[in-house]
Amino acid sequence: MSDTENEATDEAVAPETEVAAVAPPADDQVPAAAKGGRRFLIAGNWKLNAGGTDGCDLALAVARTAADHEETEVVVAPPFTAIAAVSNELYNKKSDVAVAAQNLYFEESGAFTGEVSASMLRIAGATWAIIGHSERRQLFGETDEAVLKKVIAANAGGLKCIVCVGETLDQREAGQTIAVIERQVEAFASELAKSGGDGVIAYEPVWAIGTGKVASPEDAQEVHAAIRGMLAKVDADFSQQTRILYGGSVKANNAEGLLSQRDIDGALVGGASLEADNFGKIIQIAAKLARQG
Ligand code: PEP
């Protein structure tokens, strides 16, 4: 089945609200971190959870922690149904926590039942989009070609991208990790470069997502360094500016070792992002490391 046929039917309610006018925080208004000035980014992927008022409560709890730790940039990714409400809540609280969609469709409009476009997501208040998550690749047949189209659509629609890459356990055990990641990165890197360093890559080994099996900091760093090398083939500045997040069973108790690595610029957090305390501690750890420089 095609990606379109498989898409979830939870379409965002995209009211024309004041949220549409909310601009992402200006990059020159935030403290720079170590690692070449790349600011830590901690993003919470709520997946198919917290799609109603519970999402608003969670976002406000995250916003409270984030307000005291401005060294860390924070993004939350609710389901489509909660993007407008969560964006409104954060806007009303003057929070810098940004909102991401977990997916988008690459067409702008038309006969694509159940789909949501980049501009609709912007109207609802999202400023980011997660693209190519392994659950979309594996469960919904999303291809490298579709990922590229979505990055193009996000760029055109004014959404910043968090593009996910990662190998399966079989691929890792067969020694194919770097080759797989290279194929995935090469599919979209030139397009991501057009967003002038605003684009983000998340390295998420599939075997680590939702399993409790986290990559060792050293193994993760090795892949992150390799990804940065792949980006350098497109452009040296782009390679240095682009933040590369690690994702896969990140929790408060393993975040510090990962975030201390030279090429790990943050985390994409699934399960632990649904727990405000756990997610808040990850934000705090990133802020502490940023202050240490
Ligand atoms: C994710 O969904 O992107 C993820 C990393 O999930 P978890 O943290 O639960 O492994």
Side-chain angles (χ1 to χ4, degrees):
M1 264 192 285
S2 73
D3 184 48
T4 306
E5 290 168 315
N6 275 294
E7 299 280 346
T9 53
D10 285 342
E11 190 172 352
V13 179
E16 295 279 351
T17 67
E18 57 200 321
V19 173
V22 179
D27 289 341
D28 59 0
Q29 287 174 4
V30 297
K35 306 186 188 182
R38 297 186 300 271
R39 188 180 177 210
F40 276 120
L41 171 61
I42 304 296
N45 175 15
W46 296 355
K47 309 194 189 194
L48 191 57
N49 301 288
T53 53
D54 50 347
C56 293
D57 295 343
L58 179 57
L60 291 180
V62 170
R64 282 192 288 276
T65 306
D68 294 333
H69 299 88
E70 288 187 348
E71 299 87 346
T72 310
E73 186 171 357
V74 180
V75 173
V76 292
F80 286 148
T81 50
I83 287 177
V86 166
S87 299
N88 267 315
E89 290 286 355
L90 293 170
Y91 176 78
N92 289 336
K93 291 285 184 298
K94 299 186 171 27
S95 173
D96 284 338
V97 173
V99 175
Q102 298 174 18
N103 184 28
L104 76 158
Y105 192 55
F106 44 77
E107 295 289 352
E108 176 56 27
S109 63
F112 303 103
T113 302
E115 296 297 336
V116 180
S117 69
S119 61
M120 290 173 182
L121 293 166
R122 279 293 277 143
I123 289 168
T127 49
W128 289 85
I130 297 173
I131 295 175
H133 190 282
S134 67
E135 286 154 13
R136 296 219 55 86
R137 292 180 189 258
Q138 294 206 312
L139 303 176
F140 301 99
E142 199 156 293
T143 60
D144 286 339
E145 191 189 5
V147 168
L148 171 61
K149 286 181 177 175
K150 290 182 180 193
V151 174
I152 293 170
N155 278 348
L159 291 173
K160 295 184 274 189
C161 303
I162 300 174
V163 192
C164 303
V165 298
E167 81 287 1
T168 64
L169 187 57
D170 284 352
Q171 290 165 335
R172 172 160 281 263
E173 287 176 349
Q176 297 168 347
T177 298
I178 298 300
V180 168
I181 305 290
E182 190 158 35
R183 190 205 73 223
Q184 294 174 338
V185 169
E186 279 180 356
F188 63 81
S190 297
E191 186 60 34
L192 195 70
K194 293 180 188 164
S195 58
D198 274 350
V200 169
I201 294 176
Y203 167 57
E204 299 205 304
V206 178
W207 48 269
I209 296 181
T211 60
K213 290 182 196 155
V214 66
S216 72
E218 297 73 22
D219 284 350
Q221 164 60 26
E222 193 181 329
V223 179
H224 280 235
I227 293 172
R228 206 171 296 290
M230 295 166 204
L231 302 184
K233 288 190 209 156
V234 177
D235 182 82
D237 288 344
F238 166 59
S239 166
Q240 285 310 308
Q241 289 161 356
T242 299
R243 287 175 291 182
I244 306 173
L245 315 184
Y246 169 80
S249 297
V250 176
K251 313 225 175 305
N253 63 9
N254 59 28
E256 183 151 1
L258 290 158
L259 296 176
S260 301
Q261 299 297 313
R262 188 164 48 93
D263 289 294
I264 300 185
D265 306 309
L268 180 55
V269 184
S273 73
L274 296 171
E275 301 160 14
D277 284 357
N278 207 324
F279 192 63
K281 281 183 192 142
I282 300 170
I283 293 169
Q284 288 172 21
I285 289 165
K288 182 189 82 174
L289 291 172
R291 281 195 297 274
Q292 287 172 355

